[in-house]
Amino acid sequence: MNEISETLKHFGECTAYSSKGHFKSADFRRILNYFLIIINIIFSVFAMLDIFNDTAIKIMGAFSLCASILIMMYQSKEESDFINNSMKAGEEYLKLHNDILLTFTKGNYTYENAEEIKEKVNKLNSKKKPSISLIGKYWAKNSIENTGEMNIWWK
């Protein structure tokens, strides 16, 4: 029974970090898009005000051009689906995490419960989904361990 308990805790921890990682990756991408749009607006306004010298305006223009290119890349079909697909993956992992937590808290879990959960986790892990960004990964880790965004029941 203790081995089954540890297995459920392991899957609970994995699904918690995966869920939060997908959510944070989507949040980061959304924030990045807003930031790039703001850079374009600010630099365009500065260029129109004509209060900077030519070199500064050229540098701002270069940053604005890079921001525009990144915005276009992020708004392409594949990239624009990143946020939605990351949110969906996060929701799927969160639902599975809650199912594992419910099974664990009931206390009458069996080897069959653990095997069923293992199959669900493996199926979800093998499903096509966006990868978790490095920033999303560390942001999720910080959110779970330091800011208490999730109940750490698996420890």
Side-chain angles (χ1 to χ4, degrees):
M1 196 64 133
N2 191 28
E3 182 181 319
I4 298 169
S5 171
E6 291 302 314
T7 300
L8 291 176
K9 287 179 181 180
H10 170 73
F11 287 138
E13 181 178 14
C14 291
T15 55
Y17 279 92
S18 294
S19 171
K20 191 60 78 172
H22 281 289
F23 287 141
K24 295 302 183 182
S25 291
D27 289 346
F28 174 71
R29 184 63 62 90
R30 190 177 300 116
I31 291 168
L32 180 62
N33 284 339
Y34 290 138
F35 177 72
L36 293 172
I37 290 169
I38 289 170
I39 285 176
N40 266 337
I41 292 169
I42 289 172
F43 286 169
S44 296
V45 169
F46 284 163
M48 287 188 296
L49 291 177
D50 200 28
I51 56 175
F52 295 100
N53 63 27
D54 287 342
T55 305
I57 289 177
K58 287 179 183 177
I59 292 171
M60 285 187 279
F63 277 114
S64 184
L65 177 63
C66 291
S68 296
I69 291 168
L70 288 173
I71 289 170
M72 287 187 324
M73 284 175 30
Y74 290 147
Q75 295 305 317
S76 70
K77 177 64 178 151
E78 184 178 316
E79 285 294 323
S80 67
D81 288 343
F82 179 88
I83 294 172
N84 292 332
N85 291 338
S86 289
M87 293 300 288
K88 286 178 188 172
E91 290 292 338
E92 289 175 347
Y93 275 108
L94 183 59
K95 181 183 179 314
L96 183 55
H97 174 78
N98 289 335
D99 290 345
I100 295 168
L101 175 58
L102 184 63
T103 301
F104 183 78
T105 55
K106 282 183 181 178
N108 60 351
Y109 40 82
T110 62
Y111 180 76
E112 288 76 27
N113 294 122
E115 282 300 312
E116 181 183 330
I117 288 171
K118 180 180 178 181
E119 287 177 26
K120 288 180 181 179
V121 170
N122 288 338
K123 183 178 177 183
L124 187 54
N125 284 342
S126 65
K127 193 174 180 182
K128 186 174 179 350
K129 59 194 166 297
S131 59
I132 297 173
S133 68
L134 188 61
I135 291 173
K137 183 178 183 178
Y138 286 110
W139 193 4
K141 183 179 187 306
N142 183 57
S143 296
I144 291 172
E145 296 175 3
N146 299 329
T147 63
E149 285 189 18
M150 290 189 91
N151 178 14
I152 305 177
W153 59 269
W154 55 84
K155 294 220 179 202

